[in-house]
């Protein structure tokens, strides 16, 4: 079943390349061992500045795609099931087979939504502080000093979060395949994203029927019933 449209995958891959260039060049600037190994500091600075400035470009271009805009709307909406997912995540490292209802997720789980929101905010802050550091005439010295402090420490936090993101992707081959090819196994989708209900039955291709509506309906039925459902729908 289709999970990610081509524009969504292109946006993710292009952003990942720019982020790798930005983080890699930052490491070469801040770690003396790498700085000596790579050399050409002026070139590294240029790569860092322009790759960082270009980070929002893939997303801005991707906004022309309806599937990408639909996925952004899904990422930007939190429901009661997302709160339960996060509470369950704090209690256990992975879902317990007998407590599946605490790990309900639509097309994106709550962890993915939090990561997307955090990294988007971090990129905006990094871009703003980076511009203050780059164009020294834009602000007084005290502002530039504060911008440098925020930029450096937030860069460290971004590195840690991205490392965790890559580690989780490495441990989930089906999720990697979905982002690489666009297609996901139906059984995997039902197990990991039981509330994902595209209007046309093909994941990732519907723009009119957001799975948030399906999630709300599913939760209402479940809360008003006797709680005996399995959360797995019959094959379409």
């Amino acid at each position: 079943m289709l999970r990610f449209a081509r524009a969504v995958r292109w946006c993710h891959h292009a952003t990942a390349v720019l982020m790798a260039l930005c983080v890699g060049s930052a490491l070469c600037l801040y770690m003396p061992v790498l700085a000596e190994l790579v050399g050409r500091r002026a070139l590294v600075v240029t790569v860092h500045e322009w790759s960082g400035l270009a980070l929002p470009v893939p997303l801005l271009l991707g906004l022309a795609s309806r599937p990408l805009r639909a996925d952004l709307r899904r990422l930007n909406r939190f429901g009661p099931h997302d709160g339960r997912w996060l509470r369950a995540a704090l209690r256990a490292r992975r879902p317990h087979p007998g407590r599946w209802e605490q790990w309900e997720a639509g097309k994106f789980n709550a962890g993915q939504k939090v990561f997307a929101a955090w990294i988007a905010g971090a990129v905006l802050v990094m871009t703003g502080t980076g511009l203050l550091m780059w164009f020294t005439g834009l602000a007084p010295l005290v502002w530039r000093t504060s911008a440098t402090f925020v930029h450096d420490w937030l860069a460290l936090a971004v590195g840690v979060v991205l490392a965790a993101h890559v580690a989780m992707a490495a441990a989930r081959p089906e999720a990697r395949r979905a982002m690489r090819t666009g297609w996901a196994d139906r059984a995997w989708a039902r197990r990991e994203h039981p509330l994902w209900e595209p209007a046309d039955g093909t994941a990732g291709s519907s723009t009119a029927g957001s799975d948030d509506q399906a999630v709300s309906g599913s939760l209402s039925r479940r809360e008003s019933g006797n709680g005996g459902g399995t959360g797995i729908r019959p094959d379409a």
Side-chain angles (χ1 to χ4, degrees), residues 64-65 147 159 198 205:
S65 165
S205 63

mmCIF file of all heavy atoms in Angstrom, residues 64-65 147 159 198 205:
data_model
loop_
_atom_site.group_PDB
_atom_site.id
_atom_site.type_symbol
_atom_site.label_atom_id
_atom_site.label_comp_id
_atom_site.label_asym_id
_atom_site.label_seq_id
_atom_site.Cartn_x
_atom_site.Cartn_y
_atom_site.Cartn_z
ATOM 1 N N ALA A 64 3.892 22.754 -3.053
ATOM 2 C CA ALA A 64 3.082 22.679 -4.273
ATOM 3 C C ALA A 64 2.411 21.317 -4.419
ATOM 4 O O ALA A 64 1.500 21.164 -5.232
ATOM 5 C CB ALA A 64 3.963 22.965 -5.494
ATOM 6 N N SER A 65 2.841 20.330 -3.644
ATOM 7 C CA SER A 65 2.292 18.975 -3.728
ATOM 8 C C SER A 65 1.131 18.809 -2.762
ATOM 9 O O SER A 65 1.262 19.063 -1.560
ATOM 10 C CB SER A 65 3.389 17.945 -3.409
ATOM 11 O OG SER A 65 2.841 16.680 -3.155
ATOM 12 N N ALA A 147 23.190 35.054 20.288
ATOM 13 C CA ALA A 147 22.861 34.192 19.153
ATOM 14 C C ALA A 147 23.863 33.051 19.030
ATOM 15 O O ALA A 147 23.489 31.904 18.736
ATOM 16 C CB ALA A 147 22.819 35.009 17.864
ATOM 17 N N GLY A 159 21.928 17.607 16.972
ATOM 18 C CA GLY A 159 22.749 16.442 16.670
ATOM 19 C C GLY A 159 22.299 15.203 17.427
ATOM 20 O O GLY A 159 22.225 14.105 16.854
ATOM 21 N N PRO A 198 -7.047 6.063 5.173
ATOM 22 C CA PRO A 198 -7.231 6.959 4.025
ATOM 23 C C PRO A 198 -8.609 6.748 3.407
ATOM 24 O O PRO A 198 -9.126 5.631 3.394
ATOM 25 C CB PRO A 198 -6.123 6.540 3.057
ATOM 26 C CG PRO A 198 -5.133 5.815 3.903
ATOM 27 C CD PRO A 198 -5.914 5.164 4.990
ATOM 28 N N SER A 205 -2.303 8.454 -0.657
ATOM 29 C CA SER A 205 -2.749 9.023 -1.911
ATOM 30 C C SER A 205 -3.983 9.887 -1.763
ATOM 31 O O SER A 205 -4.430 10.502 -2.707
ATOM 32 C CB SER A 205 -3.066 7.900 -2.909
ATOM 33 O OG SER A 205 -4.133 7.103 -2.418
#
